[in-house]
Amino acid sequence: MSTELSPELSPQYDPAATEPATYARWMEHGVFTAHADRSARIGGDREPFTIVIPPPNVTAVLHMGHGLNNTVQDVLIRWRRMAGDEALWVPGTDHAGIATQNVVERLIAQEGKTRFDLGREAFVERTASFVEATGGAILKQLEAIGASCDWTRTAYTLSPELSRAVRTAFVRLFEDGLIYRGHRVIHWCPRCLTSLSDEEAEFEETAGALYHIAYPVAGEPGRAVVVATTRPETMLGDVAVAVHPDDERYRDLVGKHVVLPIVGLEIPVIADTYTDPAFGTGVVKITPAHDANDFEVGARHALPMPVVIDAHGIMAEGPDGAGRVPRALAGLDRFAARERIVAMLRESGALVKVEPHQHAVRHCYRCDTVVEPRLSDQWFVKMAPLAKPALEAVRERRVRIVPERWEAVYVNWMENIRDWNISRQLWWGHRVPVWYCDACGEAFASVDDIGQCPRCHGPVRQDEDVLDTWFSSWLWPLSTLGWPDERSRDLAAFYPTDVLVTAPEILFFWVARMIMAGLYFAKREPFHTVYLHGTVRDMQHRKMSKSLGNGIDPLDVVALYGADALRWTVIAGLGLGTDVMLDPENLEQSFAPGRNFITKLWNIGRYLLSNIGGEPVTALEAVDPATLTRADEWILARLDAAIRECDLALGPPRPDGGAWGEEELRRGMRLNDYAETARRFVWNELADWYVETTKSRMTGDGADRDVARAVLVHVFDAALRLLHPIVPFVTETLWQRIPLPGRAGDEFLAQARWPAPRAARAEGAARAAAFERVIEAVAAIRRARSEYGIPPGQRVAAEIRPGTDDTAAVYREEAAVIERLTRTDVRVVALAPAGPVAHELLGADGSEVYVLLAGAVDVEKECARQRRELVELEKQLGGLEQRLANEKFVSRAKPEVVEGERRKLREWTARREQLRQKVRALCGD
RNA sequence: GGUCGCGUAGCUCAGCUGGUUAGAGCGCUGGUCUCACAUACCAGAGGUCCGGGGUUCGAGUCCCUGCGCGACCACCA
């Protein structure tokens, strides 16, 4: 890992041996540590560029989704670090209330205990020590994939600092009247025994049944109304049936009563516009305690709200529910009760019919249990006032969402936002910072613990509930940088952050709420770009998941192919807005392209080091431009083009001014384009062409060798810089070895400057373009050789008839290069050879290449081929002529398009003439 | 039900505001162990751009429609 090691590289790159050591060196030298005082926002001379990690659950284990997500962030942060920004990537973990509590509950279940056996305090302690012992493992795993996080700033949502942020946020919202206690029907998980937010109760399409049940009309024997329900067990809690006020069929029933089957209670028929006359029978049962909509109806009509299902999903008489759960049903699980009730209804003849019914049922996002709507008291955040500025931030382009289409989803959600239930009946999390005084009945929200009632000094008790995990996550960009401490240097230096990289699934859970929190608490949106990347899927396009067993362990990949191969594969496969497909059955196929490319880089490095020699290398700036060969000019031009394309694919890094302009709004963040551009340059231009041309120059001595060495080192250095963000390990390792002119000893590629294109020189551009003629000639000769099946060992001759005087010089001077690359003797001639030849026509300037085969030419074959080519050309030419003859095209198309077509017409016409002559000569007609 | 997206080579996908002979990787075929690299090199085959209409001088690209997928949202019990 140091330049003092032997100049030779091992024949094979060994990532397993190299990567951990390289990472350790970066850490040792604090390469990833950001310095607040260097931020231009507080007087420094660097633009800050900040990313906060989407904190993985503290108990999580790295999976491909993390691999993808964090590689993307690392590419961006390494890019900006090299580009001269003060780059900060804040890592950390989320305490993950429900998820972690579930893990520990499962753990103690193995001991035959429940959390209630332990009691709250002991359970929280147990969980905390569990987290301490095993948590955060995922952060270590991130090191293995090369994540350049600033580990000196690692955060945790349940740390004392972040807890203070949570309490401060709560109290501020409470005091501003945006947090309130609500009594209503919420989503309840009977397994986790907690309420859930709307977002945590996920829809799942389910094939259920629609049960039609007859409710006899009281006092009108023989008459009944039929209601339809998917959850018959809730009927025990019915307090009314509702019809639409305009529904003629039932108008006379409104105000009368029906008899609730099984229970035997008389309940009123009410009129409410909530009822859809077109659905089912147009009569709907009203169960205020067990359905959110029915709750609204019940509240409108001041109906009682009897509870008939308890917290565990068991049929039981709760508040107001006395006498409603018959002994035969009491104690039954809700689904067992459903079956029993249906059977009872069938027996009594009240069950009219059962229809299959496809509908969306909500499930707990943590444990997948069917959610039960439940009447309870919860803490809510009023969202409308928070959503308004967050909506404006996106509309006014201070925040952009990439890909753009997610913007509409965001807007739609924001416009229809509902209040956020933030209390959870869990033990693991931030306890609601509210204290109650039983004596004076007051409730106090406070950042600091309250020991006694501030009013009457009586005893107080803290709210039992904890806050939704996302109530701490939504503060993440603020809290990790030191908020609410207004004097925090990090906050001043790095907030607002820049890019937020995550999956679309948590756009609402997290991203939208962070924007709201940032604007509310700090008056600034927390980032200017939300980059939503795709999902990692298998070849059947299924999400990778533990339960399907179709996952790929990123650490397996690292062990087999190295972190760089993993990173390369996910970045190269990540089109904007597309998913990444990987085959868990065939890791070789999935990751070989990455590994092969890294091997390619390694081998270029080997070539360079074994040919460069020990003498000092001249800096390119010190090389007299007049001594650059065409190949030199060409590769330097290609490098500049590659740099420009990469810059275009990646940036701009931030909006110019406070908001994104129309022009730049959709630019950048195309990481796969960046990867592909860099790969094409390194492989198809640098390795395939330029390196080949240097081989003969390296064996020589004198000035030209030094020029070649200077250019080769310069170009390879730039290539390594260009690629470092994607494949940091191999590039750093190689970079440490290459003999860069004027380098100090302890520098890292990770901190080296991002390459910039050189100032353009007309002379150089012309010479670079001339090298394209060489490439064409080589390709033509190779094609002819291949077509005639000439063994590589067999020496044949080729003659080139230049199209212009200028190119004549090019071929003469580059003949050696062409000979080397084709193993063919080359002569530049003024006339076409007399005898039969294997002939390949050139493009651009009309040059022709003849491959002389010592009498082995198959004239018939050659004739046929040239004929085919002529026919094809004439067809194309016909279309072109037609287009140019079309007045409308000439007058309406863009001038440069027309001009291009005219040029093409001239070239093709000349080629047609050449081809015709060839065909005449070959075919004898 | 609402909104949005997708359908281009065997597979995974690029193709920007409509304008050269539609590209890449993998796979496939043929040839090479050529002194950095067989995890490689060289050459090649393979596409009615989902179907049907339309706008236009010109459509893979824009519009309509059909078919087939997918995502997000949603109080049809």
Side-chain angles (χ1 to χ4, degrees):
Chain A
M1 183 70 232
S2 108
T3 47
E4 290 143 53
L5 292 183
S6 91
E8 299 286 318
L9 293 175
S10 62
Q12 294 213 326
Y13 175 57
D14 180 3
T18 321
E19 291 176 350
T22 305
Y23 198 91
R25 287 249 303 166
W26 285 328
M27 288 296 289
E28 227 172 87
H29 288 77
V31 169
F32 309 149
T33 308
H35 300 277
D37 50 1
R38 291 203 294 228
S39 165
R41 290 183 191 154
I42 55 171
D45 58 358
R46 299 187 188 189
E47 281 297 317
F49 187 87
T50 311
I51 295 179
V52 292
I53 203 171
N57 289 358
V58 67
T59 59
V61 181
L62 193 74
H63 57 62
M64 256 345 261
H66 297 120
L68 170 67
N69 175 252
N70 290 290
T71 301
V72 169
Q73 295 175 75
D74 198 43
V75 168
L76 294 174
I77 209 82
R78 283 180 184 271
W79 164 51
R80 293 319 302 167
R81 187 179 292 126
M82 294 178 76
D85 289 350
E86 192 56 29
L88 167 61
W89 183 11
V90 182
T93 49
D94 193 302
H95 69 282
I98 303 184
T100 306
Q101 176 159 329
N102 283 352
V103 169
V104 176
E105 279 188 292
R106 267 199 298 278
L107 223 59
I108 60 175
Q110 289 168 3
E111 301 161 15
K113 291 187 197 149
T114 69
R115 64 175 155 123
F116 300 101
D117 296 330
L118 267 69
R120 181 167 193 150
E121 206 171 320
F123 179 81
V124 169
E125 230 165 79
R126 174 83 188 253
T127 309
S129 61
F130 172 77
V131 164
E132 187 133 352
T134 64
I138 190 165
L139 298 182
K140 284 311 265 186
Q141 297 179 311
L142 286 180
E143 296 181 13
I145 63 167
S148 63
C149 302
D150 184 347
W151 300 109
T152 67
R153 288 177 164 89
T154 305
Y156 175 45
T157 52
L158 210 51
S159 70
E161 297 81 13
L162 270 68
S163 297
R164 187 159 186 87
V166 167
R167 280 195 175 186
T168 304
F170 185 98
V171 169
R172 195 171 292 179
L173 289 168
F174 185 87
E175 285 170 354
D176 293 347
L178 292 182
I179 282 185
Y180 66 93
R181 191 100 174 122
H183 178 73
R184 67 182 63 160
V185 170
I186 43 77
H187 308 295
W188 179 266
C189 174
R191 204 218 60 83
C192 300
L193 297 179
T194 181
S195 65
L196 300 169
S197 67
D198 293 339
E199 290 70 35
E200 289 171 324
E202 295 180 332
F203 282 108
E204 216 168 279
E205 278 298 317
T206 310
L210 193 57
Y211 301 91
H212 294 253
I213 305 165
Y215 287 25
V217 179
E220 295 186 33
R223 191 174 178 199
V225 295
V226 176
V227 302
T229 180
T230 54
R231 295 187 300 147
E233 66 278 12
T234 64
M235 68 182 290
L236 303 183
D238 287 0
V239 295
V241 296
V243 298
H244 196 277
D246 301 335
D247 194 335
E248 298 294 338
R249 295 172 294 177
Y250 304 113
R251 181 157 288 177
D252 69 305
L253 280 178
V254 176
K256 292 183 179 171
H257 286 73
V258 294
V259 180
L260 181 59
I262 298 179
V263 180
L265 281 176
E266 286 196 6
I267 54 175
V269 179
I270 60 172
D272 195 286
T273 51
Y274 160 64
T275 309
D276 175 5
F279 186 88
T281 56
V283 186
V284 60
K285 63 196 256 327
I286 300 299
T287 321
H290 296 287
D291 184 284
N293 299 306
D294 292 6
F295 173 81
E296 302 292 332
V297 178
R300 273 201 289 277
H301 295 266
L303 296 168
M305 304 190 171
V307 172
V308 296
I309 303 174
D310 73 8
H312 295 83
I314 305 292
M315 306 308 293
E317 293 175 358
D320 298 338
R324 282 178 168 268
V325 181
R327 194 166 303 135
L329 295 167
L332 280 186
D333 173 79
R334 53 195 164 143
F335 298 115
R338 179 180 299 176
E339 281 177 36
R340 182 70 64 82
I341 285 171
V342 169
M344 288 166 79
L345 292 171
R346 186 171 280 131
E347 249 168 64
S348 70
L351 188 66
V352 177
K353 63 174 172 178
V354 182
E355 289 176 329
H357 184 68
Q358 186 79 16
H359 61 145
V361 176
R362 288 193 188 251
H363 289 66
C364 173
Y365 84 135
R366 294 313 328 180
C367 73
D368 208 38
T369 302
V370 173
V371 163
E372 194 63 35
R374 183 157 189 259
L375 186 61
S376 71
D377 292 304
Q378 304 287 340
W379 289 101
F380 291 88
V381 177
K382 264 187 208 160
M383 296 303 269
L386 296 176
K388 196 164 168 280
L391 202 47
E392 280 164 9
V394 168
R395 286 202 169 124
E396 291 166 9
R397 309 263 185 250
R398 296 195 304 278
V399 178
R400 64 170 180 170
I401 301 178
V402 183
E404 192 190 2
R405 61 189 161 92
W406 287 102
E407 211 172 282
V409 177
Y410 174 90
V411 167
N412 183 52
W413 188 73
M414 280 294 191
E415 285 176 338
N416 300 293
I417 197 155
R418 295 158 68 178
D419 286 354
W420 176 17
N421 172 9
I422 52 167
S423 46
R424 297 289 176 274
Q425 289 63 52
L426 302 170
W427 290 348
W428 181 243
H430 302 275
R431 200 150 160 189
V432 173
V434 170
W435 285 262
Y436 303 97
C437 172
D438 289 326
C440 55
E442 283 289 322
F444 306 94
S446 168
V447 172
D448 297 305
D449 285 1
I450 293 182
Q452 56 175 14
C453 175
R455 185 164 304 171
C456 68
H457 304 293
V460 291
R461 56 185 173 80
Q462 190 176 0
D463 195 292
E464 293 293 320
D465 289 351
V466 300
L467 292 165
D468 181 0
T469 289
W470 300 100
F471 193 88
S472 54
S473 314
W474 79 326
L475 304 172
W476 190 245
L478 289 164
S479 59
T480 56
L481 294 175
W483 187 89
D485 179 1
E486 304 289 352
R487 293 159 313 171
S488 160
R489 287 182 69 70
D490 273 4
L491 194 63
F494 298 112
Y495 188 90
T497 73
D498 291 84
V499 183
L500 193 279
V501 179
T502 192
E505 290 102 89
I506 53 176
L507 181 59
F508 305 138
F509 272 117
W510 193 44
V511 180
R513 287 172 182 160
M514 275 192 290
I515 297 174
M516 293 189 261
L519 286 163
Y520 192 76
F521 296 114
K523 308 293 170 231
R524 285 293 302 272
E525 49 287 337
F527 28 72
H528 55 68
T529 297
V530 175
Y531 176 67
L532 299 173
H533 60 240
T535 310
V536 183
R537 297 176 183 276
D538 68 10
M539 298 321 276
Q540 283 89 256
H541 296 195
R542 299 175 308 180
K543 228 180 219 176
M544 286 194 176
S545 78
K546 228 181 277 178
S547 53
L548 279 173
N550 62 344
I552 295 176
D553 184 344
L555 297 183
D556 286 350
V557 179
V558 169
L560 283 168
Y561 309 107
D564 286 336
L566 171 79
R567 296 167 61 106
W568 174 267
T569 303
V570 296
I571 294 299
L574 188 69
L576 196 56
T578 67
D579 292 332
V580 178
M581 309 297 169
L582 296 172
D583 189 352
E585 303 297 318
N586 193 344
L587 295 184
E588 166 71 21
Q589 171 153 344
S590 298
F591 296 97
R595 179 208 47 198
N596 294 355
F597 179 52
I598 288 150
T599 304
K600 194 72 185 177
L601 272 173
W602 187 253
N603 280 306
I604 298 170
R606 287 183 65 206
Y607 167 80
L608 187 148
L609 285 174
S610 59
N611 285 282
I612 210 78
E615 318 90 306
V617 174
T618 317
L620 184 64
E621 303 76 58
V623 173
D624 176 5
T627 63
L628 293 173
T629 64
R630 293 187 184 86
D632 293 333
E633 294 283 11
W634 179 80
I635 196 64
L636 289 168
R638 296 315 303 156
L639 171 63
D640 286 347
I643 294 170
R644 287 205 182 84
E645 263 184 69
C646 288
D647 283 342
L648 216 55
L650 282 166
R654 53 181 68 83
D656 200 13
W660 291 97
E662 204 55 46
E663 273 299 295
E664 49 184 19
L665 184 63
R666 273 166 254 308
R667 295 234 320 265
M669 302 303 294
R670 297 192 311 272
L671 301 191
N672 60 325
D673 281 1
Y674 152 51
E676 171 58 18
T677 299
R679 187 200 64 82
R680 205 177 46 224
F681 171 70
V682 166
W683 202 321
N684 301 127
E685 295 173 336
L686 176 57
D688 288 351
W689 292 100
Y690 185 70
V691 164
E692 292 302 326
T693 69
T694 63
K695 283 181 177 173
S696 53
R697 302 168 74 191
M698 285 299 170
T699 58
D701 54 345
D704 185 55
R705 172 158 191 264
D706 282 338
V707 172
R709 291 166 73 239
V711 174
L712 186 59
V713 168
H714 173 87
V715 170
F716 192 52
D717 169 47
L720 293 176
R721 291 171 195 252
L722 215 46
L723 280 161
H724 180 262
I726 310 179
V727 284
F729 291 109
V730 69
T731 50
E732 181 75 79
T733 307
L734 286 167
W735 196 77
Q736 292 296 332
R737 305 288 197 91
I738 58 173
L740 282 180
R743 167 168 58 179
D746 57 348
E747 289 174 33
F748 287 92
L749 177 57
Q751 291 175 310
R753 288 307 298 244
W754 183 252
R758 302 184 315 143
R761 290 175 305 115
E763 167 72 1
R767 288 169 67 73
F771 189 73
E772 302 279 350
R773 301 287 81 71
V774 176
I775 292 176
E776 283 175 350
V778 168
I781 295 170
R782 280 176 177 168
R783 216 175 305 131
R785 288 192 67 126
S786 174
E787 206 153 312
Y788 280 89
I790 303 163
Q794 188 182 327
R795 212 72 198 180
V796 294
E799 296 188 345
I800 301 175
R801 191 169 73 148
T804 68
D805 291 346
D806 288 346
T807 42
V810 172
Y811 292 123
R812 266 194 292 278
E813 287 170 31
E814 304 290 347
V817 171
I818 300 173
E819 290 185 347
R820 186 177 177 101
L821 295 180
T822 58
R823 306 174 140 216
T824 300
D825 301 318
V826 172
R827 255 181 316 174
V828 182
V829 296
L831 293 170
V837 293
H839 171 257
E840 287 295 326
L841 198 71
L842 284 194
D845 70 333
S847 299
E848 292 168 72
V849 173
Y850 310 91
V851 178
L852 280 54
L853 291 180
V857 175
D858 184 334
V859 177
E860 253 175 61
K861 178 177 166 180
E862 194 60 25
C863 160
R865 195 168 60 79
Q866 302 284 0
R867 262 196 215 282
R868 273 202 307 277
E869 216 164 288
L870 181 58
V871 168
E872 183 62 26
L873 181 65
E874 275 174 339
K875 206 169 79 189
Q876 302 297 340
L877 206 48
L880 201 55
E881 279 167 345
Q882 211 168 8
R883 199 174 320 166
L884 280 164
N886 185 325
E887 270 177 48
K888 285 185 178 166
F889 168 69
V890 177
S891 59
R892 290 183 199 178
K894 290 193 209 115
E896 61 265 31
V897 171
V898 178
E899 192 37 54
E901 299 288 80
R902 288 213 171 102
R903 191 175 337 110
K904 201 163 60 185
L905 181 70
R906 284 193 298 274
E907 283 166 14
W908 289 9
T909 308
R911 276 174 60 172
R912 181 177 57 186
E913 274 323 297
Q914 287 178 319
L915 256 183
R916 277 180 178 161
Q917 284 174 25
K918 291 311 142 201
V919 168
R920 262 198 299 278
L922 273 167
C923 312
D925 50 35

